[in-house]
Amino acid sequence: MKIIARILITATGLFSLVGCYDAGIKQTIHETGFVYCESGNLDTFNPQISDENSILEAVSAQIYDRLLIIDPVTQKPSPNLASEWQVDKTGTVYTFTLQPNVAFHTTDLFTPTRFLNANDVVFSFERIINPDNSYHNVNSGHYPWFDSINFPQTVTSIEAINPHQVQFTLSSPDNTFLSSLATSYAVILSKEYAQQLAASDDKNLIDSLPVGTGPFKLSQFQKSEMVRLKRHDNYWQGKAKMSQVVFDISSRGTGSLAKLLRQECDVVANPISSQLPIIIENDELTLYSQTATNVAFIAINTENPLLQDQRVRKALNFAIDRSSLINSVYYNSGIEAKSILPPASWAYGNDSSFIRYNLNYAKGLLREAGIEDEIELTMWVPLDNNSYNPSPKKSAEIIQSNFSDIGIKLKLITSDLLNRNELAENNIDLVLTGWNANSSDPDTMLRPLLSCDAKQAGFGVANWCNEEFDFLLDLAKETNQPRYRINLYRQIQNLLSEEMPIIPLAHGVKYQANQSSLHGFTLSPFNTYPFHNIIRIKEEI
């Protein structure tokens, strides 16, 4: 809706998008592709082995495909690499039929000899669930998101029935399984490429020099600066309309807007809310918005002895003035969070008695917990803005001021990435973060963040594990009765409000600003979509 050293494949034509911006290079990109600006870091191109990262999601969506995607209209899993699927009567055996004639990328290292088949799907998921797979421990051996949802225990086997059909067998019925296969994490790799790398003892390159079936393939990468993708001419959905996409990952904050205004960026993802009026007033720019399924929150390190007291956690919650956050950070484009689930979720439960601003009640809870004097807490704050939090630093400063009103001195620690060792050692008490859901199923906003498996996988930054919470989650996953599922998710939300392992803050709006000459973007509340339909329409003079 319009609202107003081998990671570097080739040195030829390599450039930095920072500092001097060569006019000839700029003109070439403008004519044959576009520059997509979003801050962030890339340590891998394979989301299977990474935590949630919006720039990685955007890049990997161009390189890889998934069996299913979430339809942006119906918000349900729909065909992608899998053209259709069947589920047996037990609800535990899923058989997927693959699209024919799907080509993998041809790169400097790899020339495929066949189209995608069931063996590629088996390899992609066997790597995750099978510790004996030769690639399981390559490049960390950790699959944070899959481990956080207990995927290795959910899927008991994956079998290629024939070249065009693959079968997943589950340990028990799982209403969230199809949604899991549609997330940005569930990408399909080339088994043939993996075998070639293994033969040359170069297994580690599988994630840094990626081969997928997506509309674009990796051409150049300069860490913390840029990623250049070139068109995959044999893309199964038809050759992309533009021959290249350049991701500028070097700018933060107002820097991206400056580049957009100078036409050095064609697209800016997640612009800061304060920039929106400038974008809206510029006739050469188009601003798109999409209601997002997300939440900004504070994760409380429940392994800190002080924060193990439920009263202290609730006091922190009641001390936060969410209306100030909405006005000053979101510029009224977001809404106050009453639950980890957003209002758009079919399982949303709003009990505002748990989530409200009440300084007197907060002070009373601290007194009950035996805290009379000023205490000091630390909070990690990310540098990069996101759709769920358009200005983390400003949000942190407001929270810091709120906490001072109840006698809590909050020390802010700002960095690119959270050092999980610091968190584990109780050096960090609070984490300002958030979550973008990968599907409309409530499980995708609850299990990866707060389950016992999430804690074990290092994905749940609250370090919280509650057996009752997990039990209710599993019941909701297994039942097919909608009314029963809704009731279970309401119980789960009430449990979280009582226990308060995280403090919901706000739900943001997903924005994208781009040059008005670009057309064909598909915005979704969930995943980033491929850019193969993007086209630049030149104005006639």
Side-chain angles (χ1 to χ4, degrees):
M1 179 179 65
K2 178 178 179 182
I3 64 166
I4 330 238
R6 296 172 71 177
I7 294 179
L8 180 63
I9 294 180
T10 175
T12 305
L14 181 62
F15 63 94
S16 170
L17 294 176
V18 180
C20 179
Y21 194 89
D22 183 83
I25 293 173
K26 175 181 173 181
Q27 183 64 27
T28 300
I29 296 173
H30 192 78
E31 291 176 352
T32 63
F34 62 94
V35 178
Y36 184 101
C37 290
E38 183 171 7
S39 58
N41 288 296
L42 282 173
D43 295 317
T44 178
F45 290 96
N46 183 357
Q48 291 178 337
I49 62 174
S50 177
D51 291 350
E52 190 263 346
N53 181 318
S54 58
I55 184 61
L56 173 58
E57 180 187 307
V59 174
S60 66
Q62 316 314 317
I63 295 174
Y64 298 106
D65 284 308
R66 307 179 294 275
L67 288 177
L68 308 175
I69 57 172
I70 298 295
D71 187 286
V73 178
T74 66
Q75 299 190 3
K76 295 180 179 180
S78 62
N80 197 42
L81 287 180
S83 59
E84 61 182 9
W85 63 89
Q86 294 83 38
V87 188
D88 77 339
K89 293 181 180 180
T90 69
T92 61
V93 180
Y94 288 74
T95 304
F96 296 88
T97 300
L98 303 180
Q99 302 277 4
N101 303 325
V102 175
F104 281 102
H105 301 156
T106 296
T107 71
D108 288 355
L109 282 183
F110 176 67
T111 300
T113 64
R114 60 168 176 79
F115 292 121
L116 172 140
N117 66 31
N119 290 321
D120 299 304
V121 180
V122 172
F123 167 74
S124 300
F125 290 101
E126 275 271 335
R127 180 189 182 187
I128 297 167
I129 69 171
N130 184 6
D132 295 326
N133 183 280
S134 63
Y135 269 86
H136 181 77
N137 292 316
V138 173
N139 295 329
S140 82
H142 296 291
Y143 303 86
W145 185 81
F146 289 98
D147 290 339
S148 74
I149 65 168
N150 203 24
F151 192 84
Q153 282 69 48
T154 298
V155 179
T156 59
S157 68
I158 311 166
E159 179 184 357
I161 299 175
N162 58 54
H164 304 293
Q165 286 190 309
V166 62
Q167 191 171 89
F168 290 73
T169 301
L170 311 186
S171 57
S172 60
D174 185 349
N175 290 298
T176 70
F177 178 65
L178 293 176
S179 294
S180 296
L181 295 186
T183 67
S184 58
Y185 299 98
V187 297
I188 303 302
L189 312 176
S190 165
K191 181 177 182 179
E192 186 181 19
Y193 180 48
Q195 290 172 330
Q196 177 182 306
L197 292 177
S200 61
D201 198 23
D202 284 324
K203 288 182 180 179
N204 62 300
L205 297 182
I206 194 168
D207 303 312
S208 58
L209 293 181
V211 167
T213 61
F216 295 92
K217 57 186 178 180
L218 180 65
S219 174
Q220 296 168 352
F221 172 49
Q222 187 172 351
K223 189 174 177 62
S224 302
E225 300 291 344
M226 58 82 72
V227 180
R228 185 202 289 265
L229 305 181
K230 291 292 187 67
R231 180 166 56 198
H232 172 34
D233 289 336
N234 296 318
Y235 183 49
W236 63 280
Q237 294 194 62
K239 187 167 64 174
K241 294 179 170 63
M242 306 196 83
S243 65
Q244 65 175 318
V245 180
V246 174
F247 289 85
D248 180 346
I249 56 178
S250 65
S251 298
R252 285 192 172 93
T254 56
S256 295
L257 177 61
K259 287 187 175 183
L260 184 68
L261 296 174
R262 294 196 303 265
Q263 297 187 2
E264 294 175 15
C265 287
D266 292 297
V267 181
V268 169
N270 303 313
I272 297 174
S273 295
S274 60
Q275 299 174 347
L276 300 183
I278 299 172
I279 297 170
I280 292 170
E281 292 171 4
N282 192 315
D283 293 337
E284 295 182 351
L285 303 177
T286 300
L287 182 67
Y288 293 92
S289 72
Q290 172 67 57
T291 301
T293 306
N294 65 23
V295 63
F297 62 86
I298 298 173
I300 301 174
N301 184 3
T302 56
E303 291 191 345
N304 180 316
L306 176 66
L307 298 174
Q308 287 175 357
D309 192 317
Q310 186 183 99
R311 294 166 297 186
V312 176
R313 301 199 298 267
K314 287 185 175 181
L316 299 179
N317 166 63
F318 286 117
I320 296 174
D321 183 359
R322 291 171 177 77
S323 63
S324 179
L325 280 174
I326 297 301
N327 294 333
S328 302
V329 176
Y330 295 80
Y331 284 74
N332 295 313
S333 62
I335 57 174
E336 296 181 32
K338 307 296 185 184
S339 164
I340 187 173
L341 298 181
S345 171
W346 54 263
Y348 176 66
N350 175 9
D351 189 339
S352 58
S353 65
F354 290 113
I355 310 291
R356 66 183 189 276
Y357 179 49
N358 190 324
L359 287 178
N360 289 332
Y361 191 22
K363 292 175 182 177
L365 286 170
L366 290 179
R367 285 194 298 268
E368 282 184 24
I371 298 174
E372 300 287 347
D373 300 322
E374 182 181 78
I375 59 173
E376 181 174 323
L377 297 175
T378 58
M379 184 168 74
W380 177 81
V381 182
L383 291 172
D384 296 325
N385 56 296
N386 202 294
S387 60
Y388 53 70
N389 194 338
S391 182
K393 185 175 184 294
K394 194 170 186 179
S395 297
E397 290 170 349
I398 291 172
I399 294 166
Q400 185 181 50
S401 176
N402 289 161
F403 284 1
S404 69
D405 292 336
I406 60 170
I408 294 177
K409 184 179 180 181
L410 185 63
K411 179 183 178 182
L412 305 181
I413 300 173
T414 305
S415 63
D416 281 319
L417 296 172
L418 174 62
N419 186 324
R420 294 189 183 275
N421 289 330
E422 287 183 331
L423 182 64
E425 294 168 2
N426 296 322
N427 292 328
I428 295 178
D429 304 304
L430 309 171
V431 176
L432 180 62
T433 185
W435 184 250
N436 289 305
N438 284 284
S439 78
S440 60
D441 197 294
D443 194 90
T444 64
M445 289 199 75
L446 296 166
R447 190 180 298 273
L449 297 175
L450 292 163
S451 67
C452 294
D453 289 316
K455 177 184 177 181
Q456 185 68 27
F459 213 76
V461 290
N463 275 325
W464 186 70
C465 174
N466 183 289
E467 292 183 0
E468 182 183 358
F469 175 83
D470 279 20
F471 176 72
L472 292 172
L473 269 184
D474 289 340
L475 283 180
K477 182 174 73 170
E478 293 175 11
T479 181
N480 284 317
Q481 300 179 34
R483 291 179 63 183
Y484 188 31
R485 288 195 81 196
I486 289 176
N487 180 55
L488 287 169
Y489 284 124
R490 297 286 169 81
Q491 291 182 55
I492 288 169
Q493 290 169 85
N494 288 337
L495 174 63
L496 291 177
S497 295
E498 285 287 350
E499 292 288 329
M500 203 59 66
I502 66 170
I503 301 174
L505 299 174
H507 305 292
V509 175
K510 189 174 184 178
Y511 287 106
Q512 176 181 295
N514 55 260
Q515 305 294 337
S516 296
S517 58
L518 287 179
H519 298 262
F521 288 101
T522 299
L523 261 67
S524 164
F526 311 113
N527 303 325
T528 301
Y529 273 66
F531 294 154
H532 61 291
N533 286 324
I534 308 304
I535 191 169
R536 191 184 298 276
I537 299 177
K538 298 180 180 179
E539 294 185 6
E540 296 184 4
I541 300 177

